[in-house]
Amino acid sequence: MKTFSKLRVLSRFQQNKTFMTGTIGMFIVAFVSLILALLTNWILGLVWFVLLVAFFATMLKGLIQAGQSNESYLEELTYRVKLGQQEAILEMPMGIILLGKGDRIVWVNPYLQNLLADQDLIGESLSEADGDLAFAVKNYADDKVNRFSWLDRSFDIAYQEQLGVIYLLDVSQNEALNRDLADHRLVTGLVSVDNYEEVTEGMPDSETSKLRTYVTGQLTDWAKKYHLYVRRLSPVTYLLMGYQRDLAQAEDEKFSVVKMVREATAQQNSPLTLSMGIAYGEQDINSLVQLAQTNLDLALGRGGDQVVVKAEDMPARFYGGTTNPMEKRTRVRARVISQTIAELMDQSDQVFVVGHQRPDMDAVGSAMGLWRFSQTRGKKAFVVVNEGEIFSDIQSLLATVRADQMGEGEPGVDLGASIISEKEALDLATEKSLLILVDHAKEALDGAPDLLKDLKDRVVVIDHHRLAENGLPDKPMLTYIEPYASSTSELVTELLQYQNQKGAPITGLEATAMLGGIQVDTKNFVLRTGSRTFDAASYLRANGADNELLQSFLKEKFSDFKARAELIHLAEINNHSAIAVGDNDTVYQSVIAAQAADELLQVEGVKASFVLTKRDDGRVGISARSNGDFNVQTIMEDLGGGGHLSNAATQMSDVTTDEAADQLLQAIASQEAEEAE
């Protein structure tokens, strides 16, 4: 055995080509030197032979000893590695599962068995042991983190399918640390008392102080409940700071302080509302505060009395906003806005006014009002309309405007010649041109999207709809959004009154168009009307607005009347909501659906109406109306649209009318559940 072992060691050396080449070379040199020594002197040759034999014997012995030592080392190392592997499998904090045929568990290591306690998995299939584990193994991918929860712990899973081995790395502690880090990320917020100045105007100082103290006290008590820090920055502004964990708790309770302050101050005949903009997710404190201000601006632009919670590049979450916004517009603000617009026009070479897609009377009427505004400043202006998508009322209005014009008229100076297409506007626009968007504040709704892209740095927005999160890609130079106003025409009428019209007075036809915008959006002064609405209408009537001419514009075709009646016939009332679902193969004009929704709202017991129809672009349109007791805006926002609390709409792609109705019912049920809480 010893001889065999020695030969085995030598054979390993023989496998080394470098060693064998050197050895053969040495033998050749020794043999040649021995021959030369014998030829020279046989005694010298004999001595040299003895020395060579001794040398090679010593070398051979050294090689055998080195080989045996190396083999012993390798055997010991192999043994220790195997022992280490066994100890690792048995003792290291990693779960290991061996699978047999049919994914039956044949063995689990002691670490995992310790977590399983008395539960025995041997012989069970993966699906019997745990469905989540079986799903994780089935969907295992090398190129991603495969994490799942099991045994009240979090594991990262690795699976060697060929060997049938599952490795489960316990990352529960890391998960806990990550959650703790996320929970303690900084959150900042800004709180605004929306209508403080309006409510306290003329109020004694003592009453004002009591009201301010009450609001501060309520905010402070609420903040303490959720471990938030609150600091008053001014009589109408507060700063909030806290952690993301505390924000989550406040969201679960839906920021009850907003409703509490509104209801309590209303009982004191001093109704105040709060708006909050809360930001999270930013590392830089300055960016966090700026984002909070942006969120507050969004809340105020939507009418106030609500909370906007948003992180950068994340969708906003809205709370509150279920009541009609309180009127807080002042004549002073209207005058300042009017003067600012006048200055922007003076700095421009020409003005373009654009309404939304498929413009209605309010969009076109307010656009004409701003065209007249620009004439008072001596600036050329153009009303951009896509006449391929207008309805019969706007067709009649534009035809009358052009017929009323003497001759062809000068573009930019005469109204009839100033109504142009987007293509014509693109040819005329320059870097110094001003673009005014009316009756909308969303890029997706713009009636001239290419013109908006060209003039994106010189944009003014005038609108009466609640501000949407996904509005314009770039911040406008000026935004005048008043959600409580009846219409954009009402806002423009007020702005126009602060301009000197001696050289360019408003005409009766323009006044009629603007009055039509107010009348259509208020449903003949029934909805969303305030004292300022009647003031604006009175001004327009005094400047020649013709009701009879307006009614001729608003007359409809018999086919439209019949289509509206068909939609109303299809309506069903479900828990105070009237829902009409048009046939998926029948295309209805959006104005017909809107009119049907308006009429359904007049039915006794109906608080909200929804009309779903197929549009000519293949999408399903939903027109939503309410009497103010039900918030249709938030429902339409859930479905990708927006609008007012009492007047909203959306368009849905890749669905049938019945599928859209199912989604609508889910959104209604979700809002009713939230309100019940």
Side-chain angles (χ1 to χ4, degrees):
M1 288 296 295
K2 291 184 177 180
T3 303
F4 177 78
S5 178
K6 292 177 181 179
L7 291 175
R8 186 179 64 183
V9 170
L10 288 176
S11 68
R12 290 180 179 174
F13 282 108
Q14 292 173 1
Q15 294 173 5
N16 190 311
K17 292 182 179 180
T18 303
F19 172 77
M20 289 304 298
T21 302
T23 302
I24 292 171
M26 289 176 61
F27 271 107
I28 293 172
V29 172
F31 180 74
V32 172
S33 64
L34 177 61
I35 297 299
L36 291 174
L38 288 173
L39 292 175
T40 302
N41 187 311
W42 69 271
I43 297 175
L44 178 62
L46 184 61
V47 173
W48 183 244
F49 176 75
V50 173
L51 290 175
L52 286 175
V53 171
F55 170 74
F56 280 107
T58 303
M59 186 182 71
L60 182 60
K61 182 179 179 181
L63 287 174
I64 292 173
Q65 290 177 348
Q68 290 175 339
S69 176
N70 186 51
E71 185 173 332
S72 176
Y73 170 75
L74 291 175
E75 288 177 352
E76 182 183 359
L77 180 61
T78 301
Y79 170 75
R80 294 180 63 184
V81 168
K82 290 182 178 180
L83 182 62
Q85 289 176 341
Q86 294 174 357
E87 290 293 324
I89 291 175
L90 295 174
E91 302 296 338
M92 74 181 299
M94 175 186 287
I96 300 177
I97 300 176
L98 297 182
L99 300 179
K101 293 182 179 180
D103 285 341
R104 293 282 172 181
I105 299 174
V106 298
W107 181 78
V108 297
N109 70 331
Y111 175 78
L112 181 57
Q113 186 60 56
N114 184 54
L115 297 180
L116 291 168
D118 296 332
Q119 186 179 358
D120 186 9
L121 300 182
I122 306 300
E124 294 185 358
S125 66
L126 277 180
S127 57
E128 292 173 342
D130 186 270
D132 292 338
L133 174 61
F135 181 82
V137 170
K138 182 180 179 181
N139 294 275
Y140 174 75
D142 289 324
D143 58 347
K144 68 177 183 180
V145 175
N146 297 271
R147 184 164 296 175
F148 79 108
S149 297
W150 186 37
L151 304 174
D152 297 326
R153 292 172 177 268
S154 294
F155 294 96
D156 280 346
I157 186 172
Y159 178 46
Q160 290 183 309
E161 186 174 3
Q162 294 178 345
L163 300 177
V165 182
I166 303 171
Y167 301 95
L168 302 172
L169 178 61
D170 190 346
V171 293
S172 301
Q173 188 173 6
N174 290 343
E175 282 283 283
L177 289 173
N178 289 334
R179 283 195 300 269
D180 187 65
L181 177 62
D183 287 345
H184 287 84
R185 293 193 70 177
L186 190 62
V187 169
T188 63
L190 292 172
V191 183
S192 171
V193 184
D194 300 333
N195 53 337
Y196 178 81
E197 294 180 357
E198 290 79 8
V199 170
T200 59
E201 185 178 2
M203 186 181 290
D205 290 343
S206 59
E207 294 299 321
T208 302
S209 178
K210 288 180 181 179
L211 194 59
R212 187 168 58 242
T213 301
Y214 171 78
V215 173
T216 302
Q218 292 297 318
L219 266 176
T220 302
D221 292 342
W222 172 81
K224 285 181 179 179
K225 180 180 178 181
Y226 297 103
H227 311 289
L228 298 169
Y229 171 81
V230 61
R231 176 82 175 182
R232 192 177 72 183
L233 304 179
S234 73
V236 297
T237 310
Y238 297 81
L239 172 68
L240 280 177
M241 297 189 72
Y243 294 124
Q244 204 157 316
R245 173 191 60 196
D246 306 318
L247 172 62
Q249 294 175 355
E251 285 193 78
D252 289 341
E253 194 229 9
K254 297 181 172 51
F255 299 92
S256 61
V257 67
V258 174
K259 180 179 180 181
M260 181 170 53
V261 168
R262 179 182 67 246
E263 293 179 349
T265 54
Q267 292 176 0
Q268 302 173 23
N269 296 320
S270 304
L272 292 177
T273 60
L274 300 181
S275 291
M276 297 187 191
I278 298 179
Y280 65 96
E282 291 289 330
Q283 298 290 344
D284 179 50
I285 186 67
N286 292 315
S287 300
L288 200 62
V289 174
Q290 290 175 2
L291 181 57
Q293 181 62 61
T294 301
N295 293 346
L296 177 61
D297 292 341
L298 177 58
L300 294 172
R302 291 165 56 85
D305 190 28
Q306 59 191 279
V307 182
V308 175
V309 181
K310 187 180 183 300
E312 191 69 33
D313 300 324
M314 292 288 289
R317 300 189 294 276
F318 301 100
Y319 300 91
T322 58
T323 59
N324 276 310
M326 298 182 61
E327 184 167 338
K328 52 182 179 290
R329 176 176 35 148
T330 64
R331 295 283 185 183
V332 174
R333 173 168 165 76
R335 179 174 54 80
V336 170
I337 293 294
S338 179
Q339 185 59 36
T340 303
I341 293 175
E343 292 173 358
L344 290 174
M345 287 183 175
D346 292 343
Q347 297 166 10
S348 306
D349 59 355
Q350 56 191 338
V351 179
F352 296 95
V353 190
V354 179
H356 49 73
Q357 298 171 6
R358 293 178 171 81
D360 56 10
M361 190 65 73
D362 187 32
V364 176
S366 58
M368 289 183 176
L370 284 168
W371 180 88
R372 174 55 58 189
F373 190 119
S374 69
Q375 302 305 304
T376 66
R377 309 303 300 180
K379 291 292 179 181
K380 286 188 175 183
F382 301 88
V383 177
V384 182
V385 178
N386 180 359
E387 297 193 44
E389 58 177 25
I390 58 177
F391 301 112
S392 58
D393 55 345
I394 305 302
Q395 291 174 354
S396 299
L397 171 62
L398 298 187
T400 304
V401 168
R402 287 170 175 147
D404 189 62
Q405 180 178 284
M406 299 297 295
E408 294 185 359
E410 181 182 351
V413 176
D414 295 305
L415 180 57
S418 301
I419 301 172
I420 61 176
S421 66
E422 181 182 16
K423 184 179 182 302
E424 293 173 305
L426 288 170
D427 293 337
L428 293 172
T430 69
E431 293 182 354
K432 295 185 64 178
S433 299
L434 182 67
L435 176 62
I436 303 180
L437 306 183
V438 293
D439 205 32
H440 72 290
K442 292 179 66 174
E443 182 183 23
L445 298 178
D446 190 56
D450 292 334
L451 184 63
L452 175 60
K453 291 178 182 177
D454 281 2
L455 300 179
K456 62 182 180 179
D457 296 325
R458 294 187 56 78
V459 175
V460 171
V461 175
I462 303 176
D463 191 18
H464 71 116
H465 298 97
R466 291 190 177 192
L467 187 63
E469 177 192 357
N470 54 339
L472 299 174
D474 300 286
K475 187 174 182 179
M477 299 174 68
L478 175 66
T479 299
Y480 186 40
I481 296 179
E482 301 292 356
Y484 47 82
S486 70
S487 57
T488 308
S489 293
E490 176 188 332
L491 296 175
V492 173
T493 300
E494 285 194 347
L495 299 177
L496 191 57
Q497 293 180 57
Y498 293 103
Q499 298 302 309
N500 186 350
Q501 299 181 35
K502 288 184 178 179
I506 185 173
T507 67
L509 190 53
E510 294 160 2
T512 299
M514 296 173 72
L515 181 61
I518 297 175
Q519 185 170 320
V520 168
D521 271 25
T522 60
K523 310 305 177 224
N524 292 319
F525 299 95
V526 172
L527 301 176
R528 297 186 305 277
T529 54
S531 61
R532 306 283 283 276
T533 307
F534 291 104
D535 288 345
S538 176
Y539 172 81
L540 294 172
R541 284 283 290 161
N543 282 272
D546 187 339
N547 268 331
E548 293 183 1
L549 179 61
L550 177 58
Q551 293 308 310
S552 70
F553 293 153
L554 298 179
K555 282 186 177 181
E556 61 182 334
K557 300 176 182 177
F558 177 71
S559 58
D560 293 341
F561 176 84
K562 185 178 179 181
R564 185 171 71 253
E566 289 174 353
L567 287 174
I568 295 173
H569 177 70
L570 292 171
E572 295 182 0
I573 298 178
N574 180 13
N575 194 20
H576 302 292
S577 294
I579 302 176
V581 182
D583 186 80
N584 194 62
D585 297 325
T586 304
V587 174
Y588 293 89
Q589 291 185 349
S590 57
V591 66
I592 302 299
Q595 291 171 350
D598 289 331
E599 292 197 24
L600 285 172
L601 197 60
Q602 307 305 313
V603 177
E604 184 178 2
V606 173
K607 295 182 178 179
S609 61
F610 303 88
V611 178
L612 297 83
T613 58
K614 200 74 171 184
R615 293 161 50 98
D616 54 9
D617 58 6
R619 294 184 294 174
V620 173
I622 305 180
S623 290
R625 301 290 186 269
S626 84
N627 60 4
D629 294 334
F630 194 85
N631 191 343
V632 294
Q633 177 202 2
T634 54
I635 292 177
M636 293 298 99
E637 286 179 339
D638 288 342
L639 299 177
H644 272 294
L645 177 144
S646 57
N647 185 338
T650 189
Q651 295 83 44
M652 304 173 65
S653 303
D654 303 322
V655 294
T656 65
T657 53
D658 288 335
E659 291 170 344
D662 291 338
Q663 295 185 35
L664 172 64
L665 290 172
Q666 292 176 9
I668 293 174
S670 177
Q671 175 160 307
E672 289 177 341
E674 289 184 4
E675 291 178 352
E677 294 178 1

